[in-house]
Amino acid sequence: MTLSKSLMDAKLRPARHVTLALAAVLAVAGCSMPRGAALQSEILRGTDTADSTVQVIEVTRATITDLDRWPVADPETRHHWVTTGAAPTARMIRAGDLLSISVWDSQPDSLLTTGDQRVVNMDHVPVSASGHVFVPYVGEVRVSGMSSEMARREIQDRLSPIVPDGQVQLSVSPGSGNTIDVVTGVARPGRVQLPEISPTILSVLAESGGISPSLRNPLVRLNRAGEAYAIPASELFASPANDIQLRGGDRILVEEDGRSYIALGATGRQEVVNFAREDINALDAVSTIGGLSNTRADLQGVMVLRTYPASLVRETGPYPRQQEVIFTFDLTSADGLFAARRFQIEAGDVVLATESPVPLIAQTITMLRTLRNVNL
């Protein structure tokens, strides 16, 4: 009897070892198995409770319509622009401009000319800070805000009591107030003098050597009279209505797109990804980083993590209910794929591909077999 029991214990001992090993391996697999991302269940754990501070939304074709109406989490001035609404305007005289005035008079007893010289030239007459120029026998004449033709007529009218048959010629050398500063993002930054007829922004960019080809998705900014405007270069080139007339004092800056998102998890690359174009949807974001790992990724567990400012959180309407929102995607269905194509990635988003539990199970089985072989 004792011998029989000993033989039975000997036969059962490997099975017990295997059972204990399996329990140990499963425990290890569940908490510390080496991997590049968490499981979807781990990330969403606790988000379905009443006191959760994280809102979870499954992105489908049924929910994407409402999501399209949500405000942008971190708005940036990228589409604030004026459009052409009038014909090109003449350059206006400003303080600091220099006027060259010529007065012609054929009268023999003229106060301005002599018998041998029928023209008087007054070169480089500055326009004062108050907008006036000094003309002999007339005094101060306000010319600021006038075109060169308007200023010529004004001076000629003011001279008519002195030289009734006199004629005036006038030319303007633009001062700093009648220039355009192209600050950065072009081949030749610098100051461009405003010609007689106001130029368009594309002509000024062309005169400055064009936008630098090294800039990624460039953004064109215009600072005018304390107001800031911005437009992506692609939109500026696409529509003639965006090619606006410039004014004296305008400043142009061309900058590289500074927006980015973070790619993490079971993807081809884990890195900070810069926006290569103006709009990037969820499928674009995944493909840009090399797609999902075909051995690790959970196609039903792709997520986008986004943080909204507290000022945008609302209890009703097309607004987030919490500051922290997780958008989930199921890329195994047509519904999920089409919804992902419409979902727009924003600056600062985290695109996360969670791990599939299948590779973990496979690793567990491999470890179990190894332990079993050792025991045998």
Side-chain angles (χ1 to χ4, degrees):
M1 187 71 174
T2 304
L3 180 60
S4 176
K5 184 179 179 181
S6 298
L7 291 173
M8 185 176 295
D9 289 342
K11 291 179 180 180
L12 292 175
R13 193 175 296 117
R16 290 172 184 169
H17 290 168
V18 171
T19 303
L20 292 173
L22 176 60
V25 170
L26 290 177
V28 171
C31 62
S32 60
M33 185 73 74
R35 46 199 167 106
L39 300 176
Q40 183 181 35
S41 58
E42 294 173 327
I43 296 176
L44 299 182
R45 185 183 300 129
T47 58
D48 56 350
T49 61
D51 58 348
S52 174
T53 59
V54 178
Q55 181 182 5
V56 180
I57 298 179
E58 183 181 2
V59 181
T60 65
R61 282 183 287 186
T63 61
I64 192 65
T65 302
D66 289 336
L67 294 177
D68 286 341
R69 298 164 56 202
W70 280 29
V72 177
D74 186 18
E76 178 187 356
T77 303
R78 300 185 63 82
H79 299 272
H80 176 51
W81 198 246
V82 291
T83 55
T84 55
T89 57
R91 179 186 61 208
M92 297 293 106
I93 297 174
R94 294 172 176 255
D97 288 352
L98 297 177
L99 272 58
S100 294
I101 306 170
S102 299
V103 182
W104 294 79
D105 187 15
S106 60
Q107 293 183 356
D109 56 349
S110 173
L111 293 175
L112 297 178
T113 61
T114 64
D116 297 330
Q117 183 181 6
R118 295 302 182 186
V119 60
V120 175
N121 296 312
M122 294 171 278
D123 296 328
H124 307 301
V125 181
V127 180
S128 67
S130 62
H132 294 78
V133 293
F134 176 78
V135 179
Y137 297 105
V138 173
E140 299 284 343
V141 179
R142 181 173 181 82
V143 294
S144 179
M146 298 181 179
S147 66
S148 58
E149 177 60 22
M150 293 169 62
R152 185 196 69 79
R153 292 177 180 177
E154 176 67 16
I155 294 174
Q156 183 166 301
D157 290 343
R158 297 284 293 273
L159 282 171
S160 60
I162 302 168
V163 283
D165 296 330
Q167 294 182 339
V168 174
Q169 286 182 315
L170 183 145
S171 62
V172 181
S173 297
S176 60
N178 261 329
T179 57
I180 300 166
D181 293 326
V182 186
V183 181
T184 184
V186 295
R188 296 187 300 274
R191 177 163 287 182
V192 178
Q193 284 195 346
L194 198 67
E196 183 65 30
I197 302 299
S198 57
T200 67
I201 187 168
L202 287 182
S203 64
V204 170
L205 289 173
E207 187 174 344
S208 301
I211 296 176
S212 174
S214 64
L215 295 182
R216 181 187 61 256
N217 190 32
L219 181 72
V220 179
R221 296 189 183 276
L222 171 66
N223 295 334
R224 169 181 290 176
E227 183 75 16
Y229 303 91
I231 187 173
S234 57
E235 294 184 18
L236 177 62
F237 300 152
S239 174
N242 293 327
D243 188 19
I244 60 173
Q245 308 292 142
L246 295 182
R247 306 172 186 171
D250 284 350
R251 286 178 172 81
I252 302 172
L253 303 89
V254 185
E255 302 173 348
E256 190 171 63
D257 193 342
R259 298 173 301 160
S260 64
Y261 65 92
I262 300 173
L264 291 176
T267 58
R269 301 192 307 274
Q270 300 188 57
E271 60 186 9
V272 176
V273 183
N274 295 309
F275 276 56
R277 53 184 180 275
E278 193 60 27
D279 298 313
I280 296 180
N281 60 48
L283 291 184
D284 292 332
V286 171
S287 62
T288 299
I289 55 179
L292 303 177
S293 172
N294 57 3
T295 59
R296 297 168 45 219
D298 181 2
L299 296 180
Q300 295 178 323
V302 177
M303 301 179 176
V304 173
L305 284 65
R306 181 178 300 167
T307 301
Y308 288 87
S311 59
L312 295 180
V313 176
R314 301 283 194 280
E315 292 296 329
T316 59
Y319 297 92
R321 304 295 180 255
Q322 301 285 352
Q323 285 187 253
E324 296 174 334
V325 182
I326 298 178
F327 302 96
T328 65
F329 301 84
D330 179 1
L331 300 187
T332 64
S333 67
D335 184 83
L337 287 168
F338 279 106
R341 188 177 181 182
R342 286 182 54 185
F343 185 88
Q344 296 299 312
I345 299 297
E346 296 183 12
D349 282 354
V350 176
V351 179
L352 174 64
T354 60
E355 292 272 357
S356 171
V358 175
L360 298 180
I361 296 173
Q363 292 180 50
T364 302
I365 293 174
T366 301
M367 293 179 65
L368 179 59
R369 287 174 176 171
T370 302
L371 289 174
R372 182 174 179 274
N373 292 333
V374 170
N375 280 284
L376 293 177

